[in-house]
PDB file of all heavy atoms in Angstrom:
ATOM      1  N   ARG A 222      18.474   1.527  13.479  1.00 91.00           N
ATOM      2  CA  ARG A 222      17.425   0.516  13.339  1.00 91.00           C
ATOM      3  C   ARG A 222      17.908  -0.646  12.481  1.00 91.00           C
ATOM      4  O   ARG A 222      17.663  -1.812  12.800  1.00 91.00           O
ATOM      5  CB  ARG A 222      16.156   1.149  12.756  1.00 91.00           C
ATOM      6  CG  ARG A 222      15.489   2.121  13.718  1.00 91.00           C
ATOM      7  CD  ARG A 222      14.044   2.404  13.329  1.00 91.00           C
ATOM      8  NE  ARG A 222      13.923   3.142  12.081  1.00 91.00           N
ATOM      9  CZ  ARG A 222      13.999   4.460  11.979  1.00 91.00           C
ATOM     10  NH1 ARG A 222      14.226   5.197  13.063  1.00 91.00           N
ATOM     11  NH2 ARG A 222      13.875   5.071  10.804  1.00 91.00           N
ATOM     12  N   ALA A 223      18.592  -0.328  11.384  1.00 91.00           N
ATOM     13  CA  ALA A 223      19.135  -1.394  10.536  1.00 91.00           C
ATOM     14  C   ALA A 223      20.177  -2.213  11.302  1.00 91.00           C
ATOM     15  O   ALA A 223      20.231  -3.443  11.192  1.00 91.00           O
ATOM     16  CB  ALA A 223      19.749  -0.790   9.278  1.00 91.00           C
ATOM     17  N   TRP A 224      20.982  -1.527  12.099  1.00 94.00           N
ATOM     18  CA  TRP A 224      22.024  -2.206  12.879  1.00 94.00           C
ATOM     19  C   TRP A 224      21.423  -3.200  13.864  1.00 94.00           C
ATOM     20  O   TRP A 224      21.880  -4.338  13.975  1.00 94.00           O
ATOM     21  CB  TRP A 224      22.847  -1.145  13.609  1.00 94.00           C
ATOM     22  CG  TRP A 224      23.940  -1.673  14.481  1.00 94.00           C
ATOM     23  CD1 TRP A 224      25.199  -2.038  14.104  1.00 94.00           C
ATOM     24  CD2 TRP A 224      23.869  -1.881  15.900  1.00 94.00           C
ATOM     25  NE1 TRP A 224      25.923  -2.458  15.190  1.00 94.00           N
ATOM     26  CE2 TRP A 224      25.135  -2.374  16.307  1.00 94.00           C
ATOM     27  CE3 TRP A 224      22.877  -1.696  16.855  1.00 94.00           C
ATOM     28  CZ2 TRP A 224      25.414  -2.693  17.637  1.00 94.00           C
ATOM     29  CZ3 TRP A 224      23.146  -2.007  18.190  1.00 94.00           C
ATOM     30  CH2 TRP A 224      24.411  -2.500  18.562  1.00 94.00           C
ATOM     31  N   VAL A 225      20.386  -2.790  14.556  1.00 93.00           N
ATOM     32  CA  VAL A 225      19.829  -3.647  15.590  1.00 93.00           C
ATOM     33  C   VAL A 225      19.048  -4.819  14.994  1.00 93.00           C
ATOM     34  O   VAL A 225      18.960  -5.893  15.605  1.00 93.00           O
ATOM     35  CB  VAL A 225      18.935  -2.833  16.557  1.00 93.00           C
ATOM     36  CG1 VAL A 225      17.546  -2.569  15.972  1.00 93.00           C
ATOM     37  CG2 VAL A 225      18.789  -3.552  17.900  1.00 93.00           C
ATOM     38  N   LEU A 226      18.495  -4.677  13.790  1.00 92.00           N
ATOM     39  CA  LEU A 226      17.760  -5.792  13.176  1.00 92.00           C
ATOM     40  C   LEU A 226      18.674  -6.981  12.909  1.00 92.00           C
ATOM     41  O   LEU A 226      18.200  -8.129  12.872  1.00 92.00           O
ATOM     42  CB  LEU A 226      17.097  -5.331  11.874  1.00 92.00           C
ATOM     43  CG  LEU A 226      15.863  -4.450  12.033  1.00 92.00           C
ATOM     44  CD1 LEU A 226      15.359  -3.996  10.661  1.00 92.00           C
ATOM     45  CD2 LEU A 226      14.757  -5.175  12.793  1.00 92.00           C
ATOM     46  N   ASP A 227      19.963  -6.749  12.738  1.00 92.00           N
ATOM     47  CA  ASP A 227      20.927  -7.847  12.568  1.00 92.00           C
ATOM     48  C   ASP A 227      21.380  -8.420  13.896  1.00 92.00           C
ATOM     49  O   ASP A 227      22.138  -9.396  13.915  1.00 92.00           O
ATOM     50  CB  ASP A 227      22.151  -7.356  11.784  1.00 92.00           C
ATOM     51  CG  ASP A 227      21.837  -7.037  10.337  1.00 92.00           C
ATOM     52  OD1 ASP A 227      20.913  -7.676   9.777  1.00 92.00           O
ATOM     53  OD2 ASP A 227      22.495  -6.135   9.763  1.00 92.00           O
ATOM     54  N   ARG A 228      20.927  -7.822  15.006  1.00 93.00           N
ATOM     55  CA  ARG A 228      21.408  -8.232  16.326  1.00 93.00           C
ATOM     56  C   ARG A 228      20.267  -8.438  17.316  1.00 93.00           C
ATOM     57  O   ARG A 228      20.464  -8.321  18.525  1.00 93.00           O
ATOM     58  CB  ARG A 228      22.382  -7.179  16.870  1.00 93.00           C
ATOM     59  CG  ARG A 228      23.643  -7.039  16.026  1.00 93.00           C
ATOM     60  CD  ARG A 228      24.415  -5.786  16.360  1.00 93.00           C
ATOM     61  NE  ARG A 228      25.672  -5.724  15.622  1.00 93.00           N
ATOM     62  CZ  ARG A 228      25.765  -5.360  14.345  1.00 93.00           C
ATOM     63  NH1 ARG A 228      24.670  -4.979  13.689  1.00 93.00           N
ATOM     64  NH2 ARG A 228      26.926  -5.348  13.726  1.00 93.00           N
ATOM     65  N   LEU A 229      19.081  -8.756  16.829  1.00 94.00           N
ATOM     66  CA  LEU A 229      17.935  -8.923  17.730  1.00 94.00           C
ATOM     67  C   LEU A 229      18.157 -10.058  18.722  1.00 94.00           C
ATOM     68  O   LEU A 229      17.553 -10.076  19.798  1.00 94.00           O
ATOM     69  CB  LEU A 229      16.655  -9.169  16.935  1.00 94.00           C
ATOM     70  CG  LEU A 229      16.046  -7.967  16.215  1.00 94.00           C
ATOM     71  CD1 LEU A 229      14.818  -8.401  15.417  1.00 94.00           C
ATOM     72  CD2 LEU A 229      15.679  -6.867  17.202  1.00 94.00           C
ATOM     73  N   HIS A 230      19.000 -11.010  18.356  1.00 94.00           N
ATOM     74  CA  HIS A 230      19.255 -12.150  19.247  1.00 94.00           C
ATOM     75  C   HIS A 230      20.225 -11.791  20.365  1.00 94.00           C
ATOM     76  O   HIS A 230      20.434 -12.588  21.288  1.00 94.00           O
ATOM     77  CB  HIS A 230      19.825 -13.319  18.448  1.00 94.00           C
ATOM     78  CG  HIS A 230      21.104 -13.007  17.733  1.00 94.00           C
ATOM     79  ND1 HIS A 230      21.144 -12.185  16.627  1.00 94.00           N
ATOM     80  CD2 HIS A 230      22.391 -13.393  17.974  1.00 94.00           C
ATOM     81  CE1 HIS A 230      22.383 -12.084  16.211  1.00 94.00           C
ATOM     82  NE2 HIS A 230      23.165 -12.788  17.014  1.00 94.00           N
ATOM     83  N   GLU A 231      20.810 -10.598  20.294  1.00 94.00           N
ATOM     84  CA  GLU A 231      21.791 -10.183  21.299  1.00 94.00           C
ATOM     85  C   GLU A 231      21.175  -9.154  22.260  1.00 94.00           C
ATOM     86  O   GLU A 231      20.224  -8.473  21.904  1.00 94.00           O
ATOM     87  CB  GLU A 231      23.007  -9.545  20.615  1.00 94.00           C
ATOM     88  CG  GLU A 231      23.704 -10.442  19.604  1.00 94.00           C
ATOM     89  CD  GLU A 231      24.797  -9.697  18.860  1.00 94.00           C
ATOM     90  OE1 GLU A 231      24.992  -8.481  19.134  1.00 94.00           O
ATOM     91  OE2 GLU A 231      25.456 -10.320  18.006  1.00 94.00           O
ATOM     92  N   PRO A 232      21.743  -9.025  23.465  1.00 92.00           N
ATOM     93  CA  PRO A 232      21.332  -7.910  24.326  1.00 92.00           C
ATOM     94  C   PRO A 232      21.677  -6.591  23.640  1.00 92.00           C
ATOM     95  O   PRO A 232      22.742  -6.461  23.031  1.00 92.00           O
ATOM     96  CB  PRO A 232      22.172  -8.111  25.595  1.00 92.00           C
ATOM     97  CG  PRO A 232      22.593  -9.538  25.560  1.00 92.00           C
ATOM     98  CD  PRO A 232      22.732  -9.901  24.114  1.00 92.00           C
ATOM     99  N   VAL A 233      20.770  -5.644  23.692  1.00 91.00           N
ATOM    100  CA  VAL A 233      20.971  -4.360  23.024  1.00 91.00           C
ATOM    101  C   VAL A 233      20.936  -3.256  24.068  1.00 91.00           C
ATOM    102  O   VAL A 233      19.968  -3.135  24.828  1.00 91.00           O
ATOM    103  CB  VAL A 233      19.878  -4.106  21.960  1.00 91.00           C
ATOM    104  CG1 VAL A 233      20.079  -2.735  21.311  1.00 91.00           C
ATOM    105  CG2 VAL A 233      19.907  -5.196  20.898  1.00 91.00           C
ATOM    106  N   ARG A 234      21.967  -2.444  24.071  1.00 93.00           N
ATOM    107  CA  ARG A 234      22.022  -1.320  25.003  1.00 93.00           C
ATOM    108  C   ARG A 234      21.685  -0.029  24.265  1.00 93.00           C
ATOM    109  O   ARG A 234      22.083   0.164  23.106  1.00 93.00           O
ATOM    110  CB  ARG A 234      23.403  -1.205  25.640  1.00 93.00           C
ATOM    111  CG  ARG A 234      23.837  -2.420  26.443  1.00 93.00           C
ATOM    112  CD  ARG A 234      25.170  -2.159  27.111  1.00 93.00           C
ATOM    113  NE  ARG A 234      26.189  -1.709  26.149  1.00 93.00           N
ATOM    114  CZ  ARG A 234      27.330  -1.123  26.502  1.00 93.00           C
ATOM    115  NH1 ARG A 234      27.592  -0.903  27.782  1.00 93.00           N
ATOM    116  NH2 ARG A 234      28.203  -0.741  25.570  1.00 93.00           N
ATOM    117  N   LEU A 235      20.969   0.835  24.955  1.00 94.00           N
ATOM    118  CA  LEU A 235      20.590   2.107  24.352  1.00 94.00           C
ATOM    119  C   LEU A 235      21.825   2.911  23.952  1.00 94.00           C
ATOM    120  O   LEU A 235      21.851   3.575  22.910  1.00 94.00           O
ATOM    121  CB  LEU A 235      19.718   2.905  25.330  1.00 94.00           C
ATOM    122  CG  LEU A 235      19.017   4.147  24.793  1.00 94.00           C
ATOM    123  CD1 LEU A 235      18.208   3.838  23.542  1.00 94.00           C
ATOM    124  CD2 LEU A 235      18.128   4.738  25.885  1.00 94.00           C
ATOM    125  N   VAL A 236      22.865   2.815  24.755  1.00 94.00           N
ATOM    126  CA  VAL A 236      24.089   3.560  24.453  1.00 94.00           C
ATOM    127  C   VAL A 236      24.716   3.075  23.148  1.00 94.00           C
ATOM    128  O   VAL A 236      25.294   3.855  22.381  1.00 94.00           O
ATOM    129  CB  VAL A 236      25.093   3.459  25.623  1.00 94.00           C
ATOM    130  CG1 VAL A 236      25.600   2.037  25.803  1.00 94.00           C
ATOM    131  CG2 VAL A 236      26.249   4.418  25.425  1.00 94.00           C
ATOM    132  N   ASP A 237      24.589   1.756  22.850  1.00 93.00           N
ATOM    133  CA  ASP A 237      25.130   1.226  21.595  1.00 93.00           C
ATOM    134  C   ASP A 237      24.328   1.727  20.398  1.00 93.00           C
ATOM    135  O   ASP A 237      24.889   2.009  19.339  1.00 93.00           O
ATOM    136  CB  ASP A 237      25.135  -0.300  21.621  1.00 93.00           C
ATOM    137  CG  ASP A 237      26.094  -0.850  22.661  1.00 93.00           C
ATOM    138  OD1 ASP A 237      27.125  -0.200  22.910  1.00 93.00           O
ATOM    139  OD2 ASP A 237      25.806  -1.917  23.235  1.00 93.00           O
TER     140      ASP A 237
END
Side-chain angles (χ1 to χ4, degrees):
R222 292 198 293 275
W224 179 84
V225 79
L226 286 177
D227 291 330
R228 296 166 175 79
L229 286 177
H230 59 288
E231 302 174 359
V233 178
R234 299 184 307 164
L235 191 53
V236 66
D237 294 328

